[in-house]
């Protein structure tokens, strides 16, 4: 089995599994995988940290997320086959451009001398953003090179933002880091030797294009929020990170509200079923029905599922779904309050603790062969 490199690079991302990478990898190593070409499907890749870690550990990665920025990051980190230095002249060129006043400055740039910030970046940095983003389109780059340039731009913007890590509201006062100058660097890329696959679909579409012989499927869906007081559209990933979508697409969308979100992330825009609050016609929460469908339809030999406290799915429901379609082999619990990690021998034990807050679970499940089709 290849080495244990888990160094990854990404933006600040709600629900990122950065801290869990060693545990996800060690659970994965308990699974008997194809010796020559072990494969893994990361169905909700998000920041792409998990996909990157699997790729570094020699797995052939099939990475998917419905968010377009995730596709750009995955394209850069998983599809690049060149040495990172190759990109240095391009990054130097982008850093050398003269700042300009453009669409991003108009909507997202705040005055650094104003006490009330309420913008994600200072104008000096959105002017650079405007210049760099226009130049990337003008250069007509190939797919991987363009993804490397956009990833570099987004990583740099994430270093000088004035936010709490999402873009549905902005800080009242400028964060100290927002005073720094935007500077792009070459992302920590690797020259991938295996042929990874990047997808940008709704999960159920992605399942259809997977080959039959995937060793491990890692699922980290959003699980919906059970915060009844929050307008539903605000707690969706598409809203949290609307600005990254716009930077990738450079489509100058209609925007609304104080945070100037894309119109396609408003309350009336359709949400992912995994971010649904409501119950379906059967009386069950729609999110648990979606998880059931996911576990039923995935054609992988093993499944690793992440579960966080505070989501819509209850412990009993999840346990039932997992036991119907698979055999729970191991559960690991990460208790953020106590800062401990515990393996659980008895696979039903976790249910009684499920009312606690601030914990995450990792389930290793063997898919039942008779439920494979
Ligand atoms: C908890 S985050 C994943 C975090 C990721 N494991 C990481 O370490 O960064 C959930 C992800 O699911 C994606 N998502 C939501 N609904 C989806 C759907 N129907 N199909 C595919 N991806 C979806 C969101 O865009 C979000 O990136």
């Amino acid at each position: 089995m290849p080495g244990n490199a888990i160094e990854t690079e990404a933006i600040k991302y709600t629900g990122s599994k950065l801290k869990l990478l060693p545990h996800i990898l060690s659970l994965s190593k308990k699974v008997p995988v194809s010796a020559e070409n072990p494969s893994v499907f990361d169905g909700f890749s998000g920041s792409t940290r998990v996909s990157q870690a699997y790729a570094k550990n020699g797995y052939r990665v099939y990475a998917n997320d419905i968010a377009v920025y995730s596709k750009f990051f995955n394209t850069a980190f998983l599809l690049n086959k060149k040495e990172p230095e190759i990109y240095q002249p391009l990054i130097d060129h982008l850093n050398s451009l003269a700042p300009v006043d453009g669409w991003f400055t108009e909507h997202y740039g705040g005055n650094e001398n104003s006490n009330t910030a309420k913008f994600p970046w200072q104008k000096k940095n959105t002017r650079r953003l405007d210049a760099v983003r226009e130049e990337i389109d003008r250069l007509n780059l190939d797919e991987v090179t363009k993804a490397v340039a956009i990833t570099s731009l987004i990583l740099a913007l994430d270093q000088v933002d004035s936010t709490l890590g999402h873009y549905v509201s902005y800080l009242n006062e400028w964060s100290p880091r927002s005073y720094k100058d935007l500077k792009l660097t070459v992302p920590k890329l690797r020259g991938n030797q295996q042929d990874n696959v990047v997808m940008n679909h709704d999960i159920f579409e992605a399942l259809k294009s997977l080959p039959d012989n995937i060793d491990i499927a890692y699922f980290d869906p959003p699980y919906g929020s059970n915060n009844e007081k929050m307008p539903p559209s605000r707690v969706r990933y598409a809203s949290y990170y609307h600005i990254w979508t716009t930077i990738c697409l450079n489509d100058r969308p209609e925007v609304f509200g104080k945070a100037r979100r894309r119109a396609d992330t408003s309350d009336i825009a359709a949400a992912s079923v995994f971010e649904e609050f409501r119950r379906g016609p059967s009386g069950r929460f729609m999110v648990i029905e979606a998880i059931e469908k996911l576990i039923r339809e995935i054609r992988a030999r093993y499944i690793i599922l992440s579960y966080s406290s505070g989501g819509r799915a209850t412990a009993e429901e999840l346990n039932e779904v997992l036991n119907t379609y698979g055999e729970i082999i191991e559960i690991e619990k990460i208790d953020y309050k106590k800062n401990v990690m515990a393996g659980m021998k008895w696979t039903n034990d976790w249910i009684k603790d499920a009312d606690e807050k601030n914990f995450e679970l990792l389930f290793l499940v063997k898919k039942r062969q008779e439920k494979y089709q």
Side-chain angles (χ1 to χ4, degrees):
M1 204 52 212
N4 191 23
I6 52 168
E7 196 194 20
T8 58
E9 190 179 27
I11 51 166
K12 296 185 279 297
Y13 203 65
T14 301
S16 155
K17 294 300 173 289
L18 172 61
K19 287 191 187 148
L20 299 199
L21 292 178
H23 305 292
I24 294 170
L25 287 173
S26 77
L27 273 185
S28 303
K29 283 177 183 155
K30 297 186 174 170
V31 169
V33 293
S34 338
E36 283 300 291
N37 202 357
S39 56
V40 66
F41 173 52
D42 183 6
F44 303 84
S45 186
S47 71
T48 76
R49 288 212 187 255
V50 178
S51 296
Q52 289 180 48
Y54 272 123
K56 281 200 161 174
N57 281 267
Y59 292 84
R60 178 175 193 199
V61 182
Y62 294 76
N64 177 64
D65 197 285
I66 201 163
V68 69
Y69 48 80
S70 187
K71 178 183 104 169
F72 275 75
F73 304 152
N74 270 323
T75 301
F77 287 108
L78 301 186
L79 301 190
N80 172 59
K81 297 201 162 181
K82 298 179 186 156
E83 289 306 313
E85 301 80 62
I86 285 272
Y87 298 102
Q88 193 62 55
L90 170 65
I91 299 299
D92 291 343
H93 169 63
L94 296 176
N95 277 326
S96 73
L97 298 171
V100 294
D101 272 307
W103 188 88
F104 286 103
T105 302
E106 186 188 327
H107 294 93
Y108 301 103
N111 192 337
E112 71 170 90
N113 299 318
S114 153
N115 287 336
T116 48
K118 290 280 178 195
F119 286 90
W121 294 287
Q122 299 195 4
K123 268 195 176 142
K124 62 172 184 174
N125 285 328
T126 53
R127 287 192 180 117
R128 286 173 191 269
L129 159 62
D130 273 314
V132 171
R133 189 60 193 85
E134 283 314 299
E135 182 67 358
I136 290 173
D137 276 353
R138 200 192 63 78
L139 289 172
N140 241 329
L141 305 166
D142 66 74
E143 192 194 4
V144 173
T145 310
K146 180 172 178 182
V148 170
I150 299 272
T151 299
S152 169
L153 173 60
I154 292 179
L155 288 170
L157 285 162
D158 185 54
Q159 295 295 310
V160 296
D161 67 317
S162 192
T163 78
L164 287 173
H166 62 67
Y167 291 79
V168 290
S169 59
Y170 310 122
L171 299 177
N172 284 330
E173 286 174 26
W174 288 117
S175 68
R177 64 172 173 265
S178 68
Y179 290 92
K180 292 193 290 181
D181 288 339
L182 183 81
K183 187 167 187 296
L184 279 64
T185 52
V186 178
K188 296 197 178 82
L189 303 170
R190 57 193 301 271
N192 290 283
Q193 274 150 34
Q194 69 277 53
D195 290 321
N196 298 316
V197 177
V198 175
M199 290 177 265
N200 181 210
H201 302 311
D202 176 81
I203 187 77
F204 295 110
E205 274 309 303
L207 293 187
K208 291 182 195 156
S209 48
L210 280 182
D212 274 348
N213 55 354
I214 296 278
D215 289 309
I216 302 170
Y218 172 64
F219 291 138
D220 183 19
Y223 284 115
S225 158
N226 56 9
N227 183 348
E228 304 280 357
K229 295 192 184 107
M230 194 65 124
S233 73
R234 286 226 210 141
V235 291
R236 295 176 189 155
Y237 275 89
S239 298
Y240 282 159
Y241 302 111
H242 61 93
I243 189 71
W244 303 143
T245 302
T246 304
I247 288 173
C248 289
L249 301 177
N250 201 15
D251 58 351
R252 303 183 175 206
E254 191 190 318
V255 297
F256 72 98
K258 285 188 185 151
R260 294 163 302 281
R261 275 158 51 195
R262 299 172 62 87
D264 59 12
T265 66
S266 74
D267 270 344
I268 48 168
S272 163
V273 66
F274 292 92
E275 295 172 317
E276 255 303 342
F277 276 54
R278 291 167 294 179
R279 293 177 191 273
S282 68
R284 295 164 85 201
F285 282 116
M286 285 156 94
V287 61
I288 200 76
E289 290 188 339
I291 291 167
E292 176 163 20
K293 183 166 186 258
L294 182 62
I295 304 295
R296 187 175 64 231
E297 290 188 3
I298 179 65
R299 294 149 72 82
R301 297 195 302 125
Y302 290 85
I303 300 165
I304 297 179
L305 181 75
S306 274
Y307 172 85
S308 309
S309 58
R312 262 302 187 209
T314 67
E316 283 86 359
E317 287 171 312
L318 198 57
N319 207 45
E320 195 187 315
V321 165
L322 293 178
N323 280 308
T324 305
Y325 298 98
E327 178 195 342
I328 300 181
I329 297 179
E330 204 164 318
I331 303 178
E332 288 205 43
K333 178 178 176 183
I334 302 94
D335 191 325
Y336 286 117
K337 253 199 230 140
K338 297 184 199 139
N339 212 10
V340 292
M341 176 90 200
M344 275 189 246
K345 216 168 183 155
W346 306 107
T347 51
N348 278 337
D349 273 7
W350 71 279
I351 298 180
K352 62 181 188 323
D353 298 339
D355 288 339
E356 295 166 18
K357 293 199 168 69
N358 293 315
F359 72 89
E360 288 206 45
L361 295 170
L362 283 172
F363 295 88
L364 174 60
V365 179
K366 183 166 196 255
K367 179 94 193 241
R368 284 191 210 286
Q369 291 305 301
E370 71 273 17
K371 304 276 187 184
Y372 211 79
Q373 300 299 323

